[in-house]
Amino acid sequence: MIVKQIMHKNVITLSSDDTISLALKTMKQNKIRHIPIVNEDHNLVGIVTERDVKDASPSIFQLELKEDFLNKPINSIMSTNLITGHPLDFVEELAAVLIENNIGCLPILQDSKLVGILTETDMLNTFVKLTGADQPGSHIEIKVPNIAGKLAEVSSILHKRRVNISSVLVYPDCDDQYKILVFRIQTMNITMIVNDLQAEGYEVLWPNVSGNER
């Protein structure tokens, strides 16, 4: 999946000369936490976030400074050393960028122009959709040897039961000789499927029908 499939394209922006008060009002009205700041050519020059405002805001004990602060231009608090993405970047790569840099959004640029914004909320929504967790179904986890062909073998067992697979995730086990296959399947009755898998010698971690700890 690439970024342009999930990014917000109708981005709310402000200029660097707009006031901090307007930025706060815009965030509240639109229920957003990040506003890209652009110039007259729609080139990105900065970004202002709720965190920027809170960090720069006067103490609650300095109420007389509050009005002066709110009337200051955005360029007095906006971040200018920005990390950006491109519409054709892969979503998983930019997810890693968000985590590594502890940031909540990425402006998306094409030909130096702002064309979208990608937020951590977009990432979470995408993860939910990719895992099929937003659709009715069942969750199965199977521990298999870490050798080629095991995913195909397990999938063929599900195929025999004519079960549609919503998503498949693969992650390593604590023992490098094994990996965990996580299937989201479109059925609520999985007893027979679990029996089939166990009959073929697979260790089903979930559902834990035996009652043993994982």
Side-chain angles (χ1 to χ4, degrees):
M1 181 175 287
I2 57 177
V3 170
K4 73 175 183 179
Q5 294 175 276
I6 68 168
M7 70 182 188
H8 291 282
K9 298 177 182 178
N10 297 321
V11 186
I12 296 171
T13 64
L14 292 173
S15 73
S16 60
D17 294 329
D18 287 325
T19 64
I20 297 172
S21 176
L22 178 59
L24 285 173
K25 182 178 179 180
T26 302
M27 289 180 190
K28 183 177 181 180
Q29 288 179 339
N30 296 278
K31 298 180 180 180
I32 57 177
R33 294 184 292 125
H34 318 87
I35 302 178
I37 309 304
V38 297
N39 60 21
E40 60 275 8
D41 296 319
H42 212 62
N43 298 122
L44 183 71
V45 296
I47 193 166
V48 65
T49 70
E50 277 188 336
R51 183 188 299 176
D52 293 329
V53 177
K54 290 178 181 178
D55 289 346
S57 179
S59 164
I60 58 173
F61 300 108
Q62 298 174 296
L63 296 179
E64 70 279 3
L65 301 179
K66 194 73 172 181
E67 186 174 349
D68 288 341
F69 169 74
L70 292 176
N71 288 327
K72 286 183 177 181
I74 291 173
N75 59 24
S76 65
I77 65 167
M78 71 183 186
S79 301
T80 56
N81 186 20
L82 304 179
I83 301 171
T84 62
H86 187 276
L88 299 183
D89 286 337
F90 290 111
V91 170
E92 63 269 26
E93 292 176 354
L94 292 195
V97 171
L98 289 175
I99 294 171
E100 290 170 3
N101 294 278
N102 192 29
I103 53 180
C105 77
L106 282 172
I108 307 301
L109 305 184
Q110 186 170 18
D111 298 326
S112 300
K113 305 291 184 182
L114 181 71
V115 295
I117 190 169
L118 185 69
T119 70
E120 56 190 354
T121 301
D122 298 326
M123 293 293 191
L124 287 172
N125 288 335
T126 300
F127 177 76
V128 169
K129 291 179 180 179
L130 288 176
T131 58
D134 60 334
Q135 301 293 327
S138 299
H139 176 103
I140 298 181
E141 293 186 25
I142 307 117
K143 183 176 181 179
V144 301
N146 190 12
I147 57 178
K150 288 301 176 181
L151 177 59
E153 290 179 10
V154 173
S155 297
S156 68
I157 294 174
L158 300 179
H159 175 70
K160 290 177 182 178
R161 289 286 177 183
R162 300 185 180 277
V163 174
N164 287 330
I165 299 173
S166 299
S167 67
V168 183
L169 297 177
V170 182
Y171 64 90
D173 184 56
C174 55
D175 184 342
D176 292 339
Q177 298 182 52
Y178 295 91
K179 57 187 175 182
I180 311 299
L181 306 182
V182 182
F183 289 86
R184 187 81 182 179
I185 56 177
Q186 295 179 359
T187 181
M188 303 305 293
N189 186 2
I190 59 175
T191 302
M192 297 301 294
I193 296 172
V194 171
N195 291 340
D196 291 345
L197 290 166
Q198 292 175 333
E200 293 293 330
Y202 289 105
E203 182 180 354
V204 179
L205 301 179
W206 184 267
N208 188 358
V209 294
S210 66
N212 297 325
E213 292 185 1
R214 292 175 58 179

